Amino acid sequence: MQPAPKVICLGEALVDRLGPLGGDPATATADQCDDRLGGAPANVACALARLGTPSAFVGRLGRDSIGESFEQLMANRGVELAGLQRDATRPSRVVLVRRHADGERVFQGFAGDQGQGFSDQALDQAELERAWPALAAQAQWLLVGTIPLATAASAASLRWAVSQAKAAGVRIALDVNWRPTFWDVSSDPAAGPDAEALSAMQPLIAAASLLKLAKEEALWLFGSADPSAISAGLPQAPDVVVTDGGNPVHWSLGGASGVLEALAPPQVVDTTGAGDAFSSGLLHQLVQGAMPPEQMLRFAAACGALVCGGAGAIDPQPDAAAVQRFLQR
């Protein structure tokens, strides 16, 4: 019997279709693309399990080959799947990812929709309510992002889970993970959130005990990339981490603040999932108990660096021993 989850990860599981370097995945042939299982909450759930922290995934997948692959992968990793829903009419989502020669990527659209949208958009609250007691019995954290807010059904389920977690004393970790394409497929992938999206995000921000933001997200939401200023401006004074690709990480945790130099990956094959690996490393350390913030953040940064050494977000995820070896080089 596997241990009860300490971290519940709620949101999307999907396929990242990585196009050829410098090419377009929408027009490339199948043998030129690399399909990888991903989606931020799914990535974090898998990474936490590999690190040794019991995790659960809550999301909805199609009754298709992608859904089967995810269910098998997560079961093999030891991720609790009581909150996994399967949809007989909507397919699992495929995200088209354009890769630049330096490994950076841009989300440019989707494939697989058969006219009724994707399964992750239809996360069902009634099914979630039935699964929740078993999931939350020993949970310490609920990890969420903003993508489920883009659709009514998944937004309602997300808001319900956040309210239940808060009532039970489960802390909320919000990785903003702003992706405009999920809100409007025709939008500029580099565009910031509009007024509607900003309004939808506010209750999550107000509930968060931990906010993880990319630098541009911090500027869009708060007009500042200073974690201490962001924390001080919110009533609950959350911990705040601001990442900036390969640049230093700025942080405010437990009343302390500082800057962590980025850790250079052993090699860069693909940066997809590096931020999710960072989140998993930080949550893993927070579940472990009190330790210096610098130590927690170095561990998280090492998780992110190691994921860059392989293709996709999940396959290259390290276990705790690999992270320690990297830090001790």
Side-chain angles (χ1 to χ4, degrees):
M1 182 176 181
Q2 70 186 42
K6 300 293 186 183
V7 182
I8 303 168
C9 303
L10 183 152
E12 67 280 0
L14 44 79
V15 163
D16 290 316
R17 178 159 293 165
L18 310 176
L21 289 178
D24 185 348
T27 57
T29 59
D31 62 323
Q32 294 175 318
C33 294
D34 186 7
D35 281 5
R36 297 283 174 162
L37 302 181
N43 295 343
V44 175
C46 288
L48 282 165
R50 176 157 280 179
L51 290 170
T53 291
S55 64
F57 174 72
V58 173
R60 191 172 180 91
L61 286 159
R63 291 196 178 278
D64 48 30
S65 60
I66 295 173
E68 294 299 326
S69 296
F70 262 115
E71 189 162 358
Q72 181 176 355
L73 169 66
M74 291 187 187
N76 289 341
R77 282 283 179 97
V79 176
E80 171 58 58
L81 295 178
L84 175 62
Q85 304 175 9
R86 301 295 296 273
D87 194 311
T89 58
R90 301 171 186 84
S92 304
R93 193 191 300 250
V94 176
V95 181
L96 303 177
V97 183
R98 183 187 289 268
R99 292 190 293 170
H100 299 306
D102 62 0
E104 288 299 323
R105 74 272 192 262
V106 176
F107 299 93
Q108 68 171 48
F110 309 110
D113 184 6
Q114 299 168 3
Q116 298 187 60
F118 295 104
S119 54
D120 63 275
Q121 297 174 301
L123 183 64
D124 184 76
Q125 182 177 327
E127 288 189 46
L128 177 55
E129 290 179 13
R130 289 192 291 271
W132 187 259
L135 294 171
Q138 296 185 35
Q140 297 179 20
W141 288 91
L142 170 65
L143 170 86
V144 299
T146 61
I147 286 174
L149 294 174
T151 311
S154 54
S157 296
L158 170 58
R159 288 191 289 265
W160 181 87
V162 168
S163 69
Q164 294 298 303
K166 286 182 63 182
V170 177
R171 289 170 288 179
I172 310 299
L174 172 61
D175 179 357
V176 170
N177 195 31
W178 168 249
R179 298 286 183 263
T181 309
F182 284 78
W183 296 71
D184 179 356
V185 72
S186 65
S187 63
D188 179 351
D194 60 16
E196 179 184 1
L198 287 170
S199 177
M201 291 179 195
Q202 290 309 310
L204 295 188
I205 293 170
S209 294
L210 171 65
L211 268 175
K212 178 179 170 289
L213 304 150
K215 182 179 180 180
E216 63 269 21
E217 293 169 345
L219 294 172
W220 285 328
L221 293 172
F222 302 103
S224 170
D226 178 355
S228 297
I230 294 170
S231 180
L234 292 168
Q236 78 275 28
D239 291 337
V240 179
V241 177
V242 177
T243 61
D244 187 19
N247 296 314
V249 175
H250 293 251
W251 55 270
S252 174
L253 295 176
S257 61
V259 179
L260 174 70
E261 292 297 324
L263 302 182
Q267 61 176 337
V268 177
V269 173
D270 175 22
T271 62
T272 302
D276 302 328
F278 181 100
S279 296
S280 69
L282 182 53
L283 286 166
H284 173 72
Q285 296 288 62
L286 288 167
V287 168
Q288 299 302 303
M291 60 185 67
E294 295 87 349
Q295 182 179 335
M296 291 193 290
L297 289 158
R298 275 183 55 80
F299 186 94
C303 291
L306 287 168
V307 162
C308 295
I314 296 178
D315 288 344
Q317 291 170 343
D319 60 19
V323 177
Q324 294 299 343
R325 287 194 299 270
F326 178 74
L327 289 171
Q328 292 166 6
R329 342 167 257 176

